[in-house]
Amino acid sequence: MRYLLLLRGVNVGGKNKVSMNDFKALLNEIGYQCIITYINSGNIVFETDDNTDTVKNKVTEILKCFSFPIQYIIMTREEYLAEVSCLPDWWNEPLARKDVLFYTDEVDYEQMKVRINEMPLHDEIVYFGKKAVFWGKFTEKEYLRTSYHKLLLKENFYPLITIRNGRTFEKLQEMLG
């Protein structure tokens, strides 16, 4: 089975450094195969016969090797492609920004949805998928006034999400095949 592993907050601004080559080697050591990474921000695709719970347990053990905590998201290829197949029409429009907020199993989905729905959307649009929240911004000049920019990082669930931009989301789709 093919999996996607998304690490949160690694290699950002010189902090929480995780060599993707070293991480690939750790995954290879536990028998994972066809390991591919994309850019240096914790986007990893691999194959294994392990079930999702086993993958999560093994990844958790690997992450204990680091001197800082790393939140992560594991998705199967099928889960990811199911998100792609249900995207709203606006996702394919030429928006100024598109971001995908993947959330860990620790996030209370319903509470997160309520909190985001309470935000005054300013020049932005939101879609709730099963494994991620898709957030579009219509114009770049209004970005600093958006709830995405001003309110999202103040939410208690923010440390439990990892964000990828629209281009990375599409590249990961390609990598998953």
Side-chain angles (χ1 to χ4, degrees):
M1 181 174 287
R2 187 169 279 188
Y3 287 93
L4 171 65
L5 169 61
L6 300 172
L7 303 178
R8 183 188 194 282
V10 299
N11 304 327
V12 178
K15 296 180 182 177
N16 297 339
K17 291 186 180 187
V18 175
S19 160
M20 288 298 105
N21 285 334
D22 292 349
F23 203 86
K24 283 170 65 172
L26 292 169
L27 291 173
N28 194 37
E29 284 177 22
I30 60 172
Y32 292 173
Q33 303 167 338
C34 303
I35 305 163
I36 307 166
T37 61
Y38 176 64
I39 58 179
N40 201 32
S41 58
N43 304 294
I44 305 145
V45 172
F46 60 89
E47 292 182 10
T48 179
D49 291 333
D50 289 345
N51 65 36
T52 303
D53 288 336
T54 301
V55 170
K56 287 178 182 178
N57 289 335
K58 288 182 176 182
V59 167
T60 297
E61 287 303 310
I62 288 173
L63 294 176
K64 289 179 181 177
C65 297
F66 296 92
S67 62
F68 48 89
I70 302 174
Q71 294 288 335
Y72 68 91
I73 285 87
I74 294 280
M75 293 177 72
T76 65
R77 174 184 182 273
E78 290 73 21
E79 288 171 327
Y80 196 90
L81 296 179
E83 291 288 351
V84 172
S85 70
C86 294
L87 287 172
D89 291 339
W90 64 259
W91 184 258
N92 297 311
E93 294 175 11
L95 300 176
R97 287 181 178 229
K98 297 178 203 173
D99 289 299
V100 185
L101 289 62
F102 294 97
Y103 49 89
T104 68
D105 294 338
E106 297 164 30
V107 170
D108 180 332
Y109 175 81
E110 291 303 322
Q111 179 63 21
M112 176 187 64
K113 191 173 178 179
V114 165
R115 295 294 301 150
I116 291 173
N117 279 329
E118 289 174 345
M119 293 179 185
L121 296 182
H122 181 78
D123 198 47
E124 54 202 319
I125 191 167
V126 173
Y127 167 74
F128 296 92
K130 290 185 178 179
K131 296 282 184 177
V133 178
F134 298 82
W135 209 306
K137 281 70 83 186
F138 291 106
T139 57
E140 189 66 31
K141 69 178 183 169
E142 295 293 315
Y143 176 69
L144 295 178
R145 297 171 61 192
T146 62
S147 289
Y148 179 85
H149 176 75
K150 293 178 113 181
L151 302 177
L152 183 63
L153 58 94
K154 297 175 184 173
E155 291 295 328
N156 63 359
F157 60 81
Y158 185 76
L160 302 174
I161 63 172
T162 187
I163 300 172
R164 300 300 186 268
N165 66 37
R167 287 185 309 279
T168 299
F169 179 76
E170 291 169 7
K171 181 63 178 178
L172 294 174
Q173 178 186 350
E174 286 177 32
M175 290 169 57
L176 286 165

